Amino acid sequence: MPGEASLAPLTPGDVQMATNVSRETLERLEAYVALLAKWQKAVNLVGPRTLKDVWRRHILDSLQLMPYSPKETASALDFGSGAGLPGLVLAIAGVRGMVLVESDARKAAFLREAARVTETELEVFHGRIEMLPARKADLITARALTNVAGLLGYTWPYLKPEGRCLFLKGKGVDEELKEAESLWEMRVTKYPSRTAPDGVILQLEGIRHVGDA
């Protein structure tokens, strides 16, 4: 398998073909990418080198969660949103009731502007996850925030009993799961990433503390 560095950057058209998003959605994603490039000059939103292949590294990487997002989702949380990955991209693609949680003020300002520019209905919560007002979500997403045990600690107070977590993880996911399973019971499903050879989409359901009835 060729290394990631040898792959030609994806175009918006490539991503549309790979995901079957509508032309309108693609145009909104293009507006997001343009804004991301503009703000990146002043705010470190993503790794600078990743902008060379932004449609693979960030847009397709986020959109690949769509097939695993329950169609009946009416409330969703994206923890540690940063540049809006994956939460903002998912909201642009049609996930309803999205709340982007981000503690950095400049990144939160970017998220609000991105929502305005892309005409996406969502909420931006500027603050730490622990300060988020009480609510229950159908779906919780995160990318590059912390390990699985830490993520479950964050998500537990906010996830509906029948809710689902979708986390984008790397090659150390099995070790993270082993650590988490000493504290949590859950149904685990792993799907291969479409954007990274060692990446994994981690789907977690039926989450409860070990020993709970």
Side-chain angles (χ1 to χ4, degrees), residues 109-128:
F110 168 77
L111 295 173
R112 292 190 181 97
E113 177 65 4
R116 185 190 70 81
V117 167
T118 61
E119 299 181 347
T120 304
E121 289 189 15
L122 54 77
E123 176 186 343
V124 177
F125 176 78
H126 170 221
R128 295 179 60 83

Side-chain angles (χ1 to χ4, degrees), residues 77-95:
L77 296 169
D78 184 51
F79 287 158
S81 284
L85 306 162
L88 176 58
V89 173
L90 293 175
I92 291 173
V95 173

Side-chain angles (χ1 to χ4, degrees), residues 10-195:
L10 292 183
T11 67
D14 293 332
V15 171
Q16 185 179 31
M17 289 183 61
T19 61
N20 201 34
V21 297
S22 68
R23 180 62 205 175
E24 179 187 4
T25 296
L26 187 66
E27 290 174 352
R28 293 165 66 203
L29 289 169
E30 289 175 320
Y32 163 74
V33 168
L35 188 69
L36 176 64
K38 179 180 178 181
W39 275 62
Q40 179 71 20
K41 298 172 184 177
V43 183
N44 185 31
L45 294 165
V46 297
R49 293 182 180 179
T50 66
L51 288 177
K52 296 177 182 179
D53 196 7
V54 64
W55 285 91
R56 184 195 316 275
R57 298 290 298 275
H58 300 306
I59 306 306
L60 180 58
D61 194 51
S62 299
L63 287 176
Q64 68 178 327
L65 298 185
M66 283 299 292
Y68 312 111
S69 303
K71 288 182 172 57
E72 65 274 13
T73 295
S75 55
L77 296 169
D78 184 51
F79 287 158
S81 284
L85 306 162
L88 176 58
V89 173
L90 293 175
I92 291 173
V95 173
R96 295 175 298 159
M98 179 65 74
V99 179
L100 308 178
V101 182
E102 175 53 51
S103 61
D104 184 283
R106 295 184 301 171
K107 292 178 180 178
F110 168 77
L111 295 173
R112 292 190 181 97
E113 177 65 4
R116 185 190 70 81
V117 167
T118 61
E119 299 181 347
T120 304
E121 289 189 15
L122 54 77
E123 176 186 343
V124 177
F125 176 78
H126 170 221
R128 295 179 60 83
I129 296 170
E130 305 94 310
M131 302 303 294
L132 184 67
R135 65 184 74 199
K136 293 291 184 180
D138 299 305
L139 174 67
I140 296 180
T141 59
R143 185 178 89 155
L145 180 60
T146 186
N147 61 23
V148 173
L151 285 169
L152 292 176
Y154 285 138
T155 61
W156 171 252
Y158 300 105
L159 186 68
K160 291 181 180 179
E162 68 280 12
R164 175 179 298 178
C165 295
L166 292 173
F167 301 141
L168 290 160
K169 303 297 294 182
K171 60 184 178 181
V173 66
D174 290 334
E175 290 77 11
E176 292 184 25
L177 281 169
K178 184 176 180 181
E179 176 188 0
E181 285 168 353
S182 66
L183 301 171
W184 301 93
E185 295 180 3
M186 66 199 110
R187 297 193 305 277
V188 179
T189 309
K190 292 185 287 184
Y191 304 101
S193 171
R194 299 179 65 183
T195 61

